[in-house]
Amino acid sequence: MSKTMNLTLHVWRQKGGTDVGGFETYKAQDISEHMSFLEMLDVVNERLLADGKEPIAFDSDCREGICGMCGMVINGVPHGPNAATTTCQLHMRHFNDGDEVTIEPWRASAFPVLRDLVVDRGAFDRIIQAGGYISASSGSAPEANGLPVPKADADRAMDAAACIGCGACVAACPNASAMLFVAAKAAHLGALPQGQPERWERVKKMVAQMDAEGFGHCSNHYECMAACPKEISVDFIAQLNRDLVRATVVEREHEEKSGGAG
Amino acid sequence: MPMAKAITLHDTTIGKKVVMAVTGLVLYGFVIAHMLGNLQVFMGPEQLNGYAKKLHDLGPLLYAARAVILLALVLHVAMVVQLVSRTAAARPIGYRLKKNQVTTYAALTMKLGGVVLMLFIVYHLAHFTFPGLSMTAGYKHSPTDVYANVVSGFRVPWVTAIYVLAQLCLGLHLYHGAFSLFQTLGLSHPRYVEKARFVAQTLGIAVAAANIAMPVAVVAGIVK
């Protein structure tokens, strides 16, 4: 027999980017402890719809903790109280009957609110477009051992690549900085041989785009690492700092010229 | 949002933090040297006044060192002003409820503590260097008898209270500054991060304690 609970929700409601927005209070009744946080919101929304009211808008896609869509700040913590857990994987058994739950969108000027709890994380896409890729003809898959990758490098690249781009790092940072995201994305390519040719240009371009998007600076609170559902380490931020210094001070300038041979 | 062009280090937020880390290191070095010099107050008037004379006799070298320290301070403050003014716009609407999970009091009070330290530096210079405002009635600041200046300067309890408060701020600032410095310069490593935190804490406490000991010793009548 599973427990059920009744909660009081304080939810940020905002019709669109230009709307001022504000908090509304809702009752979430007869919530099973086995529901995920998003399923709880689904229940609330169905009741709102039945009453002829606008449902609470929130992002979700895979609901298995790997797509990075379902970000919201729950009682002051991005993705809620459980460590290394996305909102969709947060279960209601971590709440108690009678709890008051405050739900807010990510707060950052670079993540404008589109509606209620939905923010536009296009800034992250533009950072990736600026340099978070490898320019190579893909062709067919190469011989497995043609390009040896040391185990430690492969592990490090995988640790960084675990980033799902959810934006919890920005939401948690007192400065709304995107350093952990940028560091992870630069490091997962920078750790591998395929990423080396563009390593230094990549770091410069991604950091420039990060700054242009209006994210804050890093002041080493490490709130990002605590909030990250994939437990990305701030060690990657040290790497980003190191790589940017090397890219701008030591490495030769890459000149972009169109055409020409070689 | 247009795509940004590739840039030079000092244009980036990371580059500005790198400048803050390097200048912070210079200023930390000054704080240590200043503390070691001042601690000679416990060795008597001859020792302290002799040390002060030796420093002054360095002449151009002393002024060169002062210029480096002043430049480091100006850059340190200029960078934080630039960073804070752009980061202030990064979260125009705050949270109704925000719980910090791992950050420290030292990290959260970095900016406020920095402002307190700037005000303290101005007061401290006015108190002991130029023009030498002694708060003890009837005492006239002496450019050579540093020991007497210290004793008369700290006999006033509220002056000592200001110093104690400022040194607590300094200890916190040094702790987070020293801990952050390695991360900002890209020198930190997970293997050493907790050791670095311990060293930064210990040094911050040691500097604050040593600097607090001097005015308190005067008030307590140990240094007279």
Side-chain angles (χ1 to χ4, degrees):
Chain A
M1 186 63 198
S2 75
K3 275 196 305 184
T4 61
M5 60 188 83
N6 297 318
L7 304 166
T8 306
L9 309 182
H10 305 287
V11 186
W12 180 263
R13 302 302 306 265
Q14 184 175 341
K15 287 198 176 73
T18 50
D19 183 31
V20 180
F23 283 92
E24 297 281 341
T25 301
Y26 303 97
K27 295 278 177 206
Q29 275 162 333
D30 303 321
I31 300 301
S32 161
E33 61 170 346
H34 299 312
M35 284 180 186
S36 75
F37 198 84
L38 297 187
E39 285 166 340
M40 180 275 291
L41 286 178
D42 290 339
V43 169
V44 172
N45 275 345
E46 283 190 21
R47 287 174 194 161
L48 282 175
L49 279 168
D51 293 346
K53 291 177 184 155
E54 273 291 317
I56 301 160
F58 60 88
D59 254 334
S60 75
D61 191 5
C62 73
R63 297 207 178 197
E64 56 183 14
I66 54 169
C67 77
M69 289 300 283
C70 58
M72 55 189 80
V73 174
I74 302 164
N75 280 344
V77 180
H79 292 298
N82 257 32
T85 307
T86 54
T87 303
C88 63
Q89 295 290 296
L90 174 67
H91 286 86
M92 296 312 295
R93 66 183 73 99
H94 299 293
F95 294 83
N96 298 309
D97 189 36
D99 276 0
E100 302 226 355
V101 183
T102 300
I103 312 170
E104 301 172 74
W106 290 170
R107 292 296 190 192
S109 60
F111 288 163
V113 172
L114 296 176
R115 193 181 186 90
D116 299 342
L117 305 172
V118 180
V119 300
D120 177 2
R121 288 177 293 120
F124 273 10
D125 296 334
R126 290 186 291 273
I127 292 171
I128 297 297
Q129 285 166 18
Y133 52 80
I134 288 168
S135 307
S137 63
S138 45
S140 55
E143 178 68 24
N145 293 323
L147 190 60
V149 180
K151 175 78 164 70
D153 293 352
D155 286 351
R156 191 168 164 77
M158 280 301 288
D159 285 350
C163 171
I164 54 176
C166 68
C169 45
V170 174
C173 178
N175 303 328
S177 171
M179 286 280 279
L180 192 65
F181 168 78
V182 177
K185 293 301 174 192
H188 102 252
L189 298 174
L192 294 171
Q194 294 91 336
Q196 296 312 306
E198 290 161 296
R199 180 169 176 180
W200 313 111
E201 282 305 304
R202 172 183 307 117
V203 168
K204 284 203 285 189
K205 287 175 179 171
M206 291 179 79
V207 169
Q209 191 63 33
M210 170 185 84
D211 286 348
E213 296 290 348
F215 292 107
H217 67 284
C218 174
S219 51
N220 305 317
H221 293 278
Y222 298 171
E223 287 297 321
C224 52
M225 180 164 66
C228 178
K230 298 299 158 186
E231 302 183 295
I232 306 286
S233 168
V234 291
D235 181 38
F236 291 118
I237 294 180
Q239 167 107 53
L240 182 72
N241 293 338
R242 193 156 62 229
D243 279 11
L244 184 74
V245 170
R246 177 159 169 192
T248 50
V249 177
V250 183
E251 293 294 320
R252 279 162 193 259
E253 201 69 32
H254 167 78
E255 284 178 47
E256 296 224 17
K257 286 176 185 158
S258 56
Chain B
M1 181 67 58
M3 300 303 279
K5 284 179 69 177
I7 28 60
T8 47
L9 183 62
H10 63 266
D11 288 331
T12 65
T13 48
I14 295 177
K16 292 181 201 302
K17 284 301 303 275
V18 167
V19 172
M20 288 200 72
V22 173
T23 54
L25 195 62
V26 171
L27 294 170
Y28 205 138
F30 164 72
V31 164
I32 298 277
H34 190 58
M35 176 195 73
L36 292 176
N38 288 350
L39 279 175
Q40 296 173 54
V41 77
F42 290 111
M43 296 156 85
E46 296 78 28
Q47 177 71 30
L48 185 67
N49 291 345
Y51 168 73
K53 186 171 184 318
K54 255 185 265 165
L55 259 191
H56 271 270
D57 289 347
L58 289 175
L61 212 58
L62 179 67
Y63 279 91
R66 281 174 169 171
V68 169
I69 294 159
L70 186 65
L71 182 67
L73 183 66
V74 168
L75 282 173
H76 200 72
V77 173
M79 290 302 112
V80 79
V81 167
Q82 288 183 19
L83 285 169
V84 167
S85 53
R86 75 183 292 296
T87 293
R91 181 169 291 141
I93 302 168
Y95 294 102
R96 180 197 247 189
L97 185 63
K98 175 70 168 65
K99 280 185 205 144
N100 288 323
Q101 300 186 85
V102 291
T103 190
T104 59
Y105 183 73
L108 289 170
T109 55
M110 222 38 198
K111 291 184 264 287
L112 185 64
V115 172
V116 171
L117 289 174
M118 269 314 294
L119 293 174
F120 172 72
I121 289 168
V122 172
Y123 173 70
H124 181 49
L125 286 172
H127 188 197
F128 280 127
T129 308
F130 187 83
L133 297 166
S134 177
M135 299 304 162
T136 310
Y139 178 81
K140 197 172 174 323
H141 179 84
S142 157
T144 50
D145 194 351
V146 176
Y147 190 90
N149 288 345
V150 170
V151 172
S152 94
F154 290 137
R155 249 187 211 143
V156 188
W158 65 263
V159 173
T160 290
I162 287 175
Y163 274 78
V164 170
L165 272 176
Q167 294 311 308
L168 293 176
C169 290
L170 180 67
L172 286 170
H173 203 81
L174 291 181
Y175 159 41
H176 186 69
F179 176 69
S180 288
L181 195 150
F182 295 100
Q183 175 80 358
T184 302
L185 294 177
L187 301 173
S188 64
H189 187 286
R191 199 180 293 157
Y192 310 115
V193 74
E194 280 317 304
K195 288 188 185 106
R197 188 182 286 281
F198 175 76
V199 170
Q201 273 170 347
T202 311
L203 264 180
I205 292 170
V207 171
N211 285 346
I212 286 171
M214 291 177 261
V216 167
V218 172
V219 169
I222 299 164
V223 170
K224 55 195 169 194

